[in-house]
């Protein structure tokens, strides 16, 4: 629905709130007449009390007229109370209609094929219904009070001295015109503020729901930056709206206070044309107790609750419209070509503006279906590279794409295209099935069993009690936790899998089984290696040294990379026996290698713990 259609629909909805409620409206109008009594009598009674009472030396008479004025104010207060009660008979049914509209629209959206219910959105919409109800009541009350008080004051001025209208009516019209002219811009800024607030709430809710994933992936800074952008957008919209409130103050001053100045400045002219002291005091009373308060209340109601009413009502109508079955989709999904290769072009990344770049003008091309191993000493940037490829970090320069699509453009569709498994395995309290099928809820039993067997998790599954058993992450060893997350990654629909030392807590035989299974899996595999066997199983090896990264086959790097020879030497010096295996990516049916005991080139990763549990 286009913005003009939404505005028409919102106006139609507001008009429909009064249809069929003629009796309530007539009662409301009747009580409004009583509420106008003080506005009409105030100036006239003050003028009479001064001219015929106090200035004539009749203090008791003056006090009697003031007593009548007080009694009229009491009648007006009683009538205002009755008006508010009658107002609820119009506002509450309108609130019920809006709530029904929200619930029906949310049900249509939730039950549409391929859609999931959004309880947060429903809660947000119902909160907006309450905002509209309160704003609608404020507008009706302020509009009725403005019309009643202004009409009563102008009629009182007409009966008191018609010439006084020349000093009151024109400023009132100018002030109202100025305010109404700025109202459209204020509405636009109010809408921006509401949308920014919704984005903050949506982003915050999404991050709160996935906080464990954020912490597990080390993406706290990226998450904070994401929320910070929306918070700053809301702050800008609020500042823009605050600037426009100056127009509101000026319009109130022109319409409600300028008449006082004009009356005082023209006092001698009014006296020459028959005005008395009581007449001037009465005219000022009409302005100070009638026109100015009514103008101020009306402007505040329209610029505050009024803007909330129109903008929020349009948001409710937008969110409550279920898309047509044959209509255009809400947004075009990110689609990838059949081949999901990874390409980095001129990528530069540093962890601070004054820090030495971890990667500088870095280029890498990983064709679709390739098995790439990344090796290098600790702290050289292997995990940073993995996080950049998976969108956890953003480079300061350069482009990163998967299948020709920028990593930033993939957004929330990431599980369908890429998956990152870090060294610290993340599990949550729930069933075994919920943990392994976290990225793919529709997995079939046969595929699930094949994956469990292929990755060597069958013994652990039987010990835990099957797929429906409750999983206690704290009761599992580090290797067992890694094994569960590896099954989860294998089952995901991702065409790109990045294993950042994701099997470092497994024993070498289990690690070989896992990596061989991933090597046979369709798609692209990038392994941050911590054992020589992981590098030897890959089709190509990338050596990061912080200066001139090199890549090639094992034989090419042995011949051309001193750092790679040094790494191999460390492994072999630790008692590692290596055998060059035929890459499974070249021969999918090749059996997995079974290397002997191997160790990583760095701190121990807890292999003994893994052997006992995984």
């Amino acid at each position: 629905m286009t913005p003009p259609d939404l505005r028409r629909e919102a106006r139609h909805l507001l008009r429909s709130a009064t249809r069929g409620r003629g009796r309530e409206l007539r009662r409301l109008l009747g009580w409004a007449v009583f509420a106008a009594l003080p506005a009409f009598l105030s100036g006239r009674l003050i003028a009479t009390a001064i001219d015929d009472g106090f200035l004539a030396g009749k203090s008791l008479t003056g006090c009697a007229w003031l007593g009548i004025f007080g009694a009229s104010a009491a009648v007006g207060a009683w009538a205002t109370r009755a008006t508010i009660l009658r107002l609820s008979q119009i506002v509450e049914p309108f609130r019920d209609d809006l709530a029904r509209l929200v619930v029906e629209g949310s049900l249509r959206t939730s039950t549409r094929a391929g859609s999931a219910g959004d309880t947060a959105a429903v809660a947000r919409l119902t909160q907006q219904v309450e905002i509209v109800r309160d704003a609608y009541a404020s507008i009706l009350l302020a509009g009725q009070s403005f019309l009643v008080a202004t009409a009563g004051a102008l009629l009182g001025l007409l009966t008191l001295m018609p010439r006084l209208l020349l000093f009151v009516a024109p400023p009132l019209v100018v002030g109202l015109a100025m305010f109404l002219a700025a109202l459209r811009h204020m509405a636009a800024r109010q809408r921006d503020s509401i949308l920014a607030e919704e984005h903050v709430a949506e982003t915050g809710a999404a991050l709160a729901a996935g906080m464990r994933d954020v912490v597990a992936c080390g993406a706290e800074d990226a998450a904070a930056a994401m929320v910070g952008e929306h918070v700053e957008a809301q702050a800008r919209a609020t500042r823009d709206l605050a600037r426009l409130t100056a127009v509101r103050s000026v319009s109130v001053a022109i319409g409600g206070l300028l008449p006082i100045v004009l009356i005082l400045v023209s006092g001698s002219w009014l006296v020459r044309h028959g005005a008395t002291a009581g007449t001037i005091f009465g005219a000022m009373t009409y302005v100070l107790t009638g026109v100015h308060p009514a103008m101020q209340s009306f402007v505040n109601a329209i610029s505050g609750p009024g803007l909330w009413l129109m903008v929020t009502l349009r948001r409710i109508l937008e969110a409550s419209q279920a898309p047509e079955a044959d209509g255009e989709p809400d947004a075009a999904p990110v689609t990838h070509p059949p081949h999901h290769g990874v390409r980095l072009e001129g990528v530069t990344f540093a962890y601070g503006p004054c820090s030495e770049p971890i990667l500088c003008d870095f280029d890498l091309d990983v064709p679709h279906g390739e098995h790439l191993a990344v090796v290098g000493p600790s702290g050289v940037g292997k995990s940073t590279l993995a996080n950049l490829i998976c969108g956890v970090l953003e480079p300061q320069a350069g482009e990163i794409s998967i299948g020709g699509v920028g990593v930033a453009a993939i957004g929330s569709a990431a599980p369908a295209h890429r998956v990152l498994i870090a060294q610290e395995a993340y599990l949550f309290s729930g069933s075994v099935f919920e943990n392994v099928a976290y990225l793919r809820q529709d997995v079939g039993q046969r595929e699930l069993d094949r994956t469990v067997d292929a990755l060597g998790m069958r013994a652990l599954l039987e010990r835990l009690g099957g797929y429906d058993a409750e999983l206690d992450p704290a009761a599992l060893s580090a290797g067992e936790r890694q094994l569960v997350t590896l099954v989860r990654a294998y089952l995901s629909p991702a065409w790109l899998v990045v294993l950042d030392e994701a099997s470092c807590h497994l024993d070498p035989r289990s690690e070989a089984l896992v990596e061989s299974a991933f090597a046979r899996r369709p798609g692209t595999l990038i392994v941050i290696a911590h054992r020589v066997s992981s590098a030897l199983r890959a089709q190509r090896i990338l050596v990061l040294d912080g200066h001139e990264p090199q890549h090639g086959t094992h034989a090419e790097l042995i011949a051309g990379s001193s750092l790679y020879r040094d790494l191999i030497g460390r492994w072999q010096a630790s008692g590692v026996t290596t055998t060059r295996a035929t890459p499974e990516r070249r021969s999918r049916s090749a059996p997995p290698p079974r290397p002997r005991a191997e160790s990583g080139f760095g701190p121990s990763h807890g292999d003994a713990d893994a052997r006992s549990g995984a």
Side-chain angles (χ1 to χ4, degrees):
M1 188 177 291
T2 63
D5 292 336
L6 285 172
R7 286 194 291 269
R8 286 194 295 269
E9 183 68 19
R11 289 193 294 267
H12 173 73
L13 192 59
L14 290 174
R15 287 194 298 267
S16 66
T18 58
R19 290 175 185 169
R21 299 187 177 97
R23 183 179 180 184
E24 290 83 359
L25 288 174
R26 287 191 295 271
R27 289 183 176 180
L28 184 65
L29 182 60
W31 284 109
V33 173
F34 279 101
L37 190 61
F40 175 70
L41 295 177
S42 60
R44 188 72 184 182
L45 292 174
I46 292 295
T48 304
I50 292 175
D51 290 338
D52 297 341
F54 299 113
L55 292 182
K58 301 176 182 179
S59 300
L60 292 178
T61 302
C63 290
W65 285 112
L66 292 180
I68 295 173
F69 173 62
S72 68
V75 172
W78 176 60
T80 300
R81 175 182 177 276
T83 300
I84 295 175
L85 293 177
R86 296 296 180 272
L87 194 63
S88 65
Q89 297 177 359
I90 298 175
V91 172
E92 294 304 323
F94 176 60
R95 190 273 305 270
D96 296 339
D97 293 341
L98 274 182
R100 189 178 303 110
L101 178 67
V102 166
V103 173
E104 289 176 354
S106 299
L107 286 175
R108 287 195 299 269
T109 302
S110 299
T111 55
R112 194 174 70 250
S115 176
D118 185 357
T119 55
V122 174
R124 186 172 61 251
L125 286 172
T126 51
Q127 180 186 19
Q128 290 176 349
V129 168
E130 295 302 318
I131 292 175
V132 169
R133 188 274 304 269
D134 295 341
Y136 186 54
S138 298
I139 291 299
L140 288 180
L141 187 60
Q144 177 260 157
S145 299
F146 175 74
L147 292 176
V148 165
T150 304
L154 294 178
L155 287 174
L157 286 169
L158 184 62
T159 61
L160 188 63
M161 187 177 183
R163 285 188 174 89
L164 291 170
L165 291 176
L166 297 175
F167 304 101
V168 177
L172 179 61
V173 172
V174 171
L176 282 175
M178 178 184 294
F179 170 70
L180 295 177
L183 194 58
R184 179 181 295 273
H185 301 288
M186 296 174 68
R189 299 291 81 76
Q190 184 72 70
R191 176 179 170 80
D192 293 341
S193 177
I194 291 177
L195 291 177
E197 182 181 358
E198 288 184 3
H199 291 155
V200 171
E202 290 170 358
T203 306
L207 289 176
M211 185 56 66
R212 291 176 294 189
D213 292 322
V214 172
V215 175
C217 295
E220 294 94 332
D221 293 339
M226 186 186 304
V227 176
E229 290 178 2
H230 295 304
V231 171
E232 180 58 30
Q234 184 183 9
R236 285 196 302 269
T238 304
R239 286 193 295 267
D240 292 341
L241 183 62
R243 294 188 187 100
L244 287 172
T245 57
V247 178
R248 180 179 65 184
S249 301
V250 173
S251 63
V252 171
I254 292 175
L257 296 178
L258 183 58
I260 297 293
V261 177
L262 295 178
I263 290 173
L264 292 176
V265 170
S266 305
S268 59
W269 182 84
L270 289 171
V271 169
R272 287 197 302 270
H273 289 79
T276 62
T279 301
I280 295 176
F281 272 102
M284 294 177 64
T285 301
Y286 277 127
V287 175
L288 290 175
T289 64
V291 174
H292 177 255
M295 178 76 175
Q296 190 169 41
S297 298
F298 178 73
V299 168
N300 289 340
I302 296 298
S303 59
L307 293 181
W308 276 98
L309 172 65
M310 293 306 299
V311 176
T312 308
L313 187 57
R314 287 173 56 186
R315 289 294 296 149
I316 290 175
L317 291 173
E318 286 176 355
S320 300
Q321 297 295 324
E324 297 295 334
D326 298 326
E328 292 294 327
D330 293 336
V334 176
T335 58
H336 279 230
H339 300 299
H340 294 63
V342 179
R343 174 167 293 182
L344 289 80
E345 298 178 291
V347 171
T348 297
F349 178 82
Y351 282 100
C354 299
S355 302
E356 187 74 17
I358 303 295
L359 299 174
C360 184
D361 200 23
F362 179 76
D363 295 326
L364 178 65
D365 191 4
V366 185
H368 171 73
E370 184 175 68
H371 179 181
L372 175 72
V374 182
V375 300
S378 297
V380 77
K382 301 186 298 295
S383 294
T384 299
L385 176 63
N387 290 331
L388 286 167
I389 291 173
C390 292
V392 178
L393 299 175
E394 294 184 5
Q396 282 85 31
E399 296 291 335
I400 305 175
S401 61
I402 301 176
V405 178
V407 166
I410 297 176
S412 61
H417 304 285
R418 66 187 182 222
V419 63
L420 167 67
I421 301 297
Q423 176 180 343
E424 296 301 324
Y426 161 64
L427 301 179
F428 53 87
S429 298
S431 68
V432 175
F433 176 82
E434 289 172 338
N435 274 271
V436 298
Y438 177 66
L439 300 177
R440 187 178 164 196
Q441 298 292 327
D442 61 345
V443 63
Q445 182 68 41
R446 183 174 300 178
E447 183 180 0
L448 187 59
D449 288 335
R450 282 200 305 265
T451 303
V452 167
D453 292 334
L455 273 69
M457 187 185 153
R458 178 62 60 183
L460 174 61
L461 179 66
E462 292 175 352
R463 182 171 67 82
L464 294 174
Y467 295 114
D468 295 330
E470 287 296 312
L471 187 63
D472 181 9
L476 301 182
S477 68
E480 290 170 339
R481 290 195 297 271
Q482 282 191 333
L483 196 56
V484 175
T485 57
L486 287 164
V487 172
R488 177 195 299 164
Y490 192 97
L491 289 171
S492 76
W495 282 94
L496 169 64
V497 175
V498 180
L499 304 180
D500 183 8
E501 299 192 15
S503 57
C504 63
H505 294 298
L506 298 178
D507 61 81
R509 184 180 183 281
S510 298
E511 181 182 58
L513 186 67
V514 165
E515 289 187 3
S516 297
F518 273 97
R520 295 189 298 272
R521 182 182 183 274
T524 305
L525 176 64
I526 298 177
V527 178
I528 308 300
H530 70 290
R531 292 188 179 110
V532 66
S533 57
S534 296
L536 294 178
R537 277 189 287 269
Q539 290 172 281
R540 192 160 55 110
I541 303 166
L542 171 65
V543 182
L544 293 180
D545 63 356
H547 299 286
E548 295 292 335
Q550 293 179 272
H551 59 81
T553 64
H554 172 74
E556 292 170 346
L557 291 173
I558 285 289
S561 173
S562 59
L563 176 59
Y564 185 71
R565 290 195 299 270
D566 183 48
L567 292 174
I568 294 296
R570 294 184 200 176
W571 279 319
Q572 292 174 341
S574 301
V576 176
T577 302
T578 64
T579 303
R580 176 64 176 153
T582 302
E584 290 80 353
R585 308 302 283 195
R586 297 175 183 171
S587 177
R588 301 281 182 172
S589 60
R594 299 178 180 271
R596 302 178 194 177
E598 301 166 350
S599 62
F601 57 85
S604 172
H605 293 292
D607 293 337
D609 177 43
R611 280 193 291 274
S612 65

